[in-house]
């Protein structure tokens, strides 16, 4: 009996792995969480007019074996627009602010650390914090949702990350499918900006 438990768990895990989208929200609902799915587009513009990504560290090592022209340690800081649709003219909903660093000696993998700060739409004022590996030649990359603010307080989840298209050699459009679970079953709390007058007249 005891010996068969790991196999049962393995089969359950396998079933989940084969249908990640099916098992995962069920688990989230059981914990009383609220699942939020967002599809966004991120514009990473590495040069030219409207540049949003700037290399701040040029890795001093040898040329990277898997990424022509790149070096271990190369680091880029970004403030990339997040839009509703893939076109640059599509409605702006926020900005992806952070860095990506070539942190693998051999593999073409960037370490992404960023905040998706929403400046419009339903989640205006809230943010999602994302960390993880970007295997640049993979069709779909997965990075982790490790937290957030406002409507995304204590968020957990993942982001499926795809290259949607190249607008030009220097303008990459990424498609991000964000799956985040936040605790609690109710609607998203609206973050309340501090009321300066209220604070001034607050009686201790
Ligand atoms: C987002 O929220 C800020 C602060 O409350 C507000 O000034 C701004 O107009 C909002 N933007 C949109 C697009 O709703």
């Amino acid at each position: 009996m005891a010996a068969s438990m790991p196999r049962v768990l393995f089969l359950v895990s396998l079933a989940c792995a084969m249908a990640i989208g099916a098992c995962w929200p069920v688990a989230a609902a059981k914990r009383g969480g609220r699942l939020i799915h967002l599809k966004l587009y991120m514009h990473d513009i590495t040069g030219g007019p409207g540049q949003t990504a700037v290399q701040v560290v040029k890795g001093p090592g040898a040329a990277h074996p898997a990424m022509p022209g790149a070096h271990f340690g190369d680091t880029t800081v970004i403030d990339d627009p997040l839009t509703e649709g893939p076109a640059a003219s599509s409605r702006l909903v926020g900005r992806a602010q952070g860095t990506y660093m070539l942190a693998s000696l051999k593999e073409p993998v960037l370490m992404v650390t960023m905040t998706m700060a929403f400046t419009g739409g339903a989640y205006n004022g809230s943010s999602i914090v994302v960390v993880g590996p970007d295997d640049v030649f993979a069709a779909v990359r997965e990075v982790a949702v490790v937290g957030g603010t406002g409507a995304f307080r204590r968020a957990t989840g993942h982001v499926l990350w795809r290259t949607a298209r190249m607008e030009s050699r220097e303008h990459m459009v990424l498609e991000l499918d964000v799956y985040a679970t936040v605790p609690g079953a109710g609607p998203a709390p609206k973050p309340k900006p501090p009321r300066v007058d209220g604070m001034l007249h607050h009686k201790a």
Side-chain angles (χ1 to χ4, degrees):
M1 244 349 241
S4 67
M5 267 314 275
R7 191 188 295 180
V8 170
L9 288 178
F10 170 75
L11 288 175
V12 170
S13 311
L14 187 66
C16 285
M18 286 162 69
I20 288 169
C23 279
W24 184 67
V26 175
K30 278 201 182 127
R31 288 197 308 268
R34 195 166 49 86
L35 174 64
I36 299 166
H37 173 216
L38 303 172
K39 189 185 274 290
L40 303 167
Y41 294 85
M42 174 171 149
H43 299 263
D44 195 53
I45 307 168
T46 55
Q51 182 172 7
T52 63
V54 176
Q55 192 178 75
V56 289
V57 174
K58 183 124 194 80
H64 195 272
M67 290 179 80
H71 297 77
F72 179 63
D74 281 356
T75 303
T76 297
V77 60
I78 61 170
D79 185 358
D80 290 350
L82 294 168
T83 57
E84 233 172 35
S89 58
S90 171
R91 193 161 80 98
L92 183 75
V93 293
R95 308 201 66 98
Q97 298 168 331
T99 59
Y100 51 83
M101 178 192 290
L102 182 48
S104 172
L105 282 167
K106 292 187 178 144
E107 310 301 329
V109 178
L110 303 172
M111 168 69 188
V112 177
T113 310
M114 69 184 200
T115 301
M116 298 167 70
F118 296 98
T119 56
Y123 298 106
N124 186 11
S126 297
S127 71
I128 296 177
V129 180
V130 165
V131 177
D134 175 5
D135 183 349
V136 297
F137 296 126
V140 184
R141 289 86 92 180
E142 180 178 338
V143 291
V145 169
V146 296
T149 64
F152 296 103
R153 274 180 205 158
R154 295 170 62 207
T156 55
H158 65 286
V159 179
L160 298 181
W161 176 299
R162 299 173 179 85
T163 304
R165 65 190 197 204
M166 298 295 295
E167 289 287 335
S168 71
R169 217 170 53 81
E170 294 173 322
H171 181 165
M172 181 184 284
V173 184
L174 299 148
E175 183 182 280
L176 308 184
D177 274 290
V178 182
Y179 297 91
T181 302
V182 292
K190 268 275 172 207
K192 290 191 187 81
R195 283 192 43 205
V196 174
D197 55 351
M199 277 157 63
L200 285 176
H201 301 295
H202 179 73
K203 290 190 190 87

